Amino acid sequence: PPSPSHTPPVVRLASTNQPTNMPPRTSTVDIEAGADHVKGNPTWNKDWDISNFPRRVKWGFGILAGVMFLTLVIALPMIFTWSSRVSSDSNAVIVFHDGSIATTAAGPGRRFHGPSGKVVLFPRFDATIEYANGDPVSVRVQDGQVVYLDLSFQYSTPKQSLVQIYRLHKNTFRTTLRQLARSILRDEAAKYPSTEFFSNRTHIAAQMRQRMVAEGDARLIEITGFQIRGVTLPEQLLGNLFNVQRQRLDVRSREEQLILEQIEANTNALELQLRTARNRGLAEFDLTTSILLAREAQNQSRINEETLQQLAEINGRTNSTVTLYQQETATLIEGVLQNVTVETELTRREVDRRQHESETNLTVYAQETENLRLQYDNNVTLINEQARQAATQIQANTTTQVRQFQARLRRARSNALSNRRQLIADVTEAAANQTILARELAFTGLPSAVYLAETVGNATLTRARFFDTNLSNLVDTTTSS
């Protein structure tokens, strides 16, 4: 409690909601006392004790509590009985007690259907129906053989179509769909012979899926997948098909061998043509070279003959000039001798002068002749050098052309050999691919023991001298893949 000397603060609050003719109300609030109350020292009001309530209030509380208890006891079982839980992987159609159906399908959660009602569950996601594990689809195909099909398909039920689907099939939806699919698959499989299931299974599966999709659309069901996982054929038919495939592989192998032999023959013919062309080219080049050398020899002989003719002409002109001067000298000497009595001294002098001039002229002509001879010798040497250089150039050109032809011939032969090897590699690869494809087609749908037997047979076939060709003695062909 506060000390006597302490006076608690007083807060006066004026109310503005009072009439103007009334004095304002004031309230005194002890802040410290309020703080003590907040700290955990509340004061209990005795008027709150239920024993102090009036009798009518006590009866009212009792009746209200009883009604609430009865409501919980009755309502909770009704809630769980008149409703059902739809799992997260399902949709549901709600059917009420009078047989009426909700207008729309319900999703996952707890759904109320009332007394005697129910929910019919449908798969929310794709569901699978299988015909396997001892329950395959047995079909009598077009040629009378009985074929067993190990297959499955997936379907989905659109939520917006569930009400109509329930109106058509009620609670037997999955059973009806399974029987309907079996009937459709039997009808569709009966259109094909048994050999088609061995060699053309993909086409048959596509036709079956197309038929299933059409029937599902007519019944508001979506077919989302279809698979033929295995086909079991009769043992005798399986053996016959295996023998037919082996014969086809043998025929294909012989055809590929013929193609290889044809390629080999073509390659040999091409090589012979190239060799013949090479020999013919070499002969042509040799002939051309011989012709050029003969022409060069003829040109050299002609040049030598022309040179000799020019030298003979020069010598002839020189001799004619000398003879002419000698004759003139003799004539002058004879004239001087005839007039020797008249002018002996003059004649002698004239003779001396003429003789000196003749000697001088002879010396000049001899020098000119020597110069001409030396000039012609130089011309002959120059012509011979040019002829030798021309012959060397022709020989070099001929050698270069022969080498170029030989290089082209080697490149052509190398290209031909490369093409030959490429063709052989392509044909070998194509043969290997065809063999692999044929083996895949041959072993598709067969038991794994057949592939094992074929592999062991190929490995030991070169050493085996006798073996039983009855397939049933080797493997159990009735085993499903």
Side-chain angles (χ1 to χ4, degrees), residues 173-401:
F173 166 72
R174 187 176 177 86
T175 303
T176 302
L177 181 60
R178 188 178 183 88
Q179 294 175 354
L180 177 63
R182 185 186 292 270
S183 176
I184 292 172
L185 295 173
R186 283 178 176 174
D187 294 342
E188 190 66 25
K191 297 178 182 179
Y192 302 94
S194 56
T195 55
E196 290 291 323
F197 288 89
F198 183 79
S199 60
N200 202 8
R201 183 188 303 180
T202 304
H203 174 70
I204 296 175
Q207 295 297 322
M208 287 184 175
R209 175 168 182 164
Q210 185 176 0
R211 177 74 183 279
M212 287 291 294
V213 170
E215 295 292 338
D217 293 341
R219 291 166 175 80
L220 306 177
I221 302 170
E222 294 182 1
I223 303 299
T224 58
F226 185 85
Q227 304 86 29
I228 295 181
R229 297 179 296 185
V231 177
T232 303
L233 300 175
E235 180 179 355
Q236 183 178 1
L237 176 62
L238 190 63
N240 294 334
L241 292 175
F242 184 73
N243 292 331
V244 169
Q245 290 296 326
R246 288 186 63 87
Q247 292 175 1
R248 290 179 179 175
L249 289 176
D250 293 339
V251 171
R252 180 61 62 84
S253 178
R254 288 194 293 270
E255 290 177 354
E256 299 296 339
Q257 186 65 31
L258 290 175
I259 292 173
L260 289 175
E261 292 177 356
Q262 183 65 31
I263 292 173
E264 185 70 22
N266 294 335
T267 303
N268 293 332
L270 181 60
E271 185 176 0
L272 179 60
Q273 291 176 1
L274 292 175
R275 188 177 296 130
T276 303
R278 173 180 175 273
N279 294 331
R280 184 170 62 252
L282 290 176
E284 291 177 355
F285 274 108
D286 292 339
L287 180 59
T288 303
T289 303
S290 301
I291 292 171
L292 292 174
L293 291 175
R295 290 178 179 176
E296 185 62 27
Q298 291 177 358
N299 292 331
Q300 189 173 2
S301 299
R302 182 176 56 79
I303 291 170
N304 292 332
E305 291 178 357
E306 291 178 353
T307 303
L308 293 175
Q309 290 177 359
Q310 291 177 1
L311 288 174
E313 291 178 357
I314 292 170
N315 292 328
R317 287 196 299 268
T318 303
N319 294 330
S320 298
T321 303
V322 171
T323 302
L324 178 61
Y325 276 103
Q326 287 177 355
Q327 291 176 358
E328 291 178 353
T329 303
T331 303
L332 291 173
I333 291 172
E334 289 177 356
V336 170
L337 290 177
Q338 291 176 0
N339 298 319
V340 69
T341 58
V342 179
E343 297 178 353
T344 302
E345 187 64 27
L346 294 175
T347 301
R348 185 182 60 78
R349 291 179 181 179
E350 185 67 25
V351 170
D352 291 338
R353 187 180 63 80
R354 294 289 182 178
Q355 187 175 1
H356 184 269
E357 289 179 357
S358 298
E359 290 176 359
T360 302
N361 291 331
L362 287 175
T363 303
V364 171
Y365 279 109
Q367 186 66 36
E368 291 179 355
T369 303
E370 182 66 21
N371 292 334
L372 290 174
R373 188 180 64 78
L374 292 175
Q375 183 178 359
Y376 280 112
D377 288 339
N378 291 331
N379 292 335
V380 170
T381 303
L382 180 60
I383 291 171
N384 290 332
E385 181 65 23
Q386 292 178 352
R388 186 184 63 78
Q389 291 179 357
T392 304
Q393 183 65 32
I394 291 171
Q395 184 67 27
N397 293 336
T398 303
T399 303
T400 302
Q401 291 178 0

Side-chain angles (χ1 to χ4, degrees), residues 49-65:
D49 191 356
I50 193 172
S51 60
N52 297 326
F53 286 175
R55 188 177 183 85
R56 290 183 303 173
V57 175
K58 293 180 180 180
W59 276 101
F61 275 110
I63 294 172
L64 180 60

